[in-house]
Amino acid sequence: AVETLETTGPNFSVDAMITARRKTKEAISLIADNIKPGMLEEDARQVARETLERLGSHKRWHKTLIRFGANTIKNFVEPSEPNIRLRDDDIFFVDIGPIWDGAEGDGGDTFVVGKNPDSDMQPCADAAKEIFGIVRDQWMSSSMNGKELYEFAVKATADLGWVLNLGLTGHRLSEFPHSAHYNGTLGAVSIRPSPNLWILEIQIRHPKKAFGGFFEDLLLTNQETD
């Protein structure tokens, strides 16, 4: 039932969720600015930990995930290939789940270093965000449920020449912990998701090359995806 899937606790507040989203985006940007070629993923995770602590998030509801290069095609649960250093021309994504004053944040974005014009990496990073926007527009303008939205996302991704990873199909967000209300995926629900409660995740990969892009954000009715 909708009531069960979209339950919140007494400490839930939309304002707190919006603030958590803003702080999460700020953190992602700061973390990405400090990830440089030559680093290992472990170094980048340390940058992320220090950044989140400094900004006031001392607890995470999910592990901090930073993927470089060929690791960007892996699912959330798959371990990274070890000892992968960020190259001079490369792609990486940041996926964080910080808790800000009891409200869950969750965000992910993809970044490209270097200026290799032939690599398809920047188009991949851009496409992940573009597909998020296309699927969000569909959510806004239709009564599609979570399952239908991800079926739509598969087609929208293929139409742009990429492949959608269906191992990541969104989830609830709320006051910590959202798992007390609903711990499944958005892609499995047969309701139209309400605003301020659901994360839409888009992970894509290049059809032939071993890299991908990732973008996720809270579904809001009035959001900018920049």
Side-chain angles (χ1 to χ4, degrees):
V2 177
E3 294 74 24
T4 325
L5 293 173
E6 296 198 331
T7 308
T8 56
N11 297 324
F12 179 82
S13 121
V14 170
D15 284 349
M17 298 301 289
I18 300 302
T19 300
R21 174 179 179 262
R22 180 180 53 74
K23 288 182 168 179
T24 300
K25 284 185 170 294
E26 179 189 342
I28 289 170
S29 179
L30 287 168
I31 291 163
D33 284 348
N34 287 292
I35 294 175
K36 308 289 185 206
M39 275 186 175
L40 293 165
E41 286 182 0
E42 292 86 330
D43 303 327
R45 284 197 299 275
Q46 185 59 30
V47 165
R49 274 191 291 274
E50 289 167 5
T51 303
L52 289 169
E53 287 283 335
R54 196 169 70 244
L55 294 175
S57 172
H58 306 295
K59 194 172 166 191
R60 259 69 66 210
W61 72 264
H62 80 62
K63 67 182 177 183
T64 296
L65 198 63
I66 299 179
R67 304 278 208 195
F68 292 171
N71 284 331
T72 56
I73 64 175
K74 290 180 177 286
N75 272 355
F76 184 82
V77 294
E78 291 179 279
S80 275
E81 291 297 321
N83 303 316
I84 299 282
R85 288 188 187 276
L86 194 66
R87 296 169 308 183
D88 290 336
D89 290 292
D90 216 342
I91 191 166
F92 70 92
F93 72 72
V94 177
D95 177 9
I96 58 172
I99 300 168
W100 308 97
D101 298 321
E104 294 174 338
D106 194 26
D109 204 351
T110 304
F111 303 88
V112 175
V113 293
K115 290 284 178 282
N116 178 354
D118 304 319
S119 74
D120 291 337
M121 286 178 177
Q122 190 61 55
C124 184
D126 295 342
K129 189 179 281 194
E130 182 186 356
I131 293 159
F132 177 97
I134 292 168
V135 178
R136 179 185 165 268
D137 289 348
Q138 183 68 22
W139 166 69
M140 290 275 292
S141 64
S142 76
S143 55
M144 278 189 179
N145 64 33
K147 188 168 179 295
E148 290 163 340
L149 278 175
Y150 272 95
E151 288 166 359
F152 174 83
V154 169
K155 186 176 182 322
T157 303
D159 286 348
L160 291 174
W162 306 92
V163 179
L164 188 73
N165 179 353
L166 278 170
L168 285 124
T169 56
H171 53 81
R172 266 297 304 277
L173 217 59
S174 68
E175 80 291 345
F176 179 75
H178 72 259
S179 55
H181 308 303
Y182 173 65
N183 203 25
T185 69
L186 170 57
V189 303
S190 54
I191 61 161
R192 180 185 187 274
S194 299
N196 311 311
L197 292 175
W198 297 91
I199 288 284
L200 176 68
E201 295 178 298
I202 299 293
Q203 186 178 15
I204 61 172
R205 62 163 296 163
H206 191 284
K208 298 192 177 70
K209 300 176 188 174
F211 62 81
F214 179 67
F215 187 82
E216 66 172 348
D217 198 359
L218 192 61
L219 277 174
L220 302 174
T221 47
N222 59 346
Q223 81 200 89
E224 301 295 325
T225 53
D226 296 335

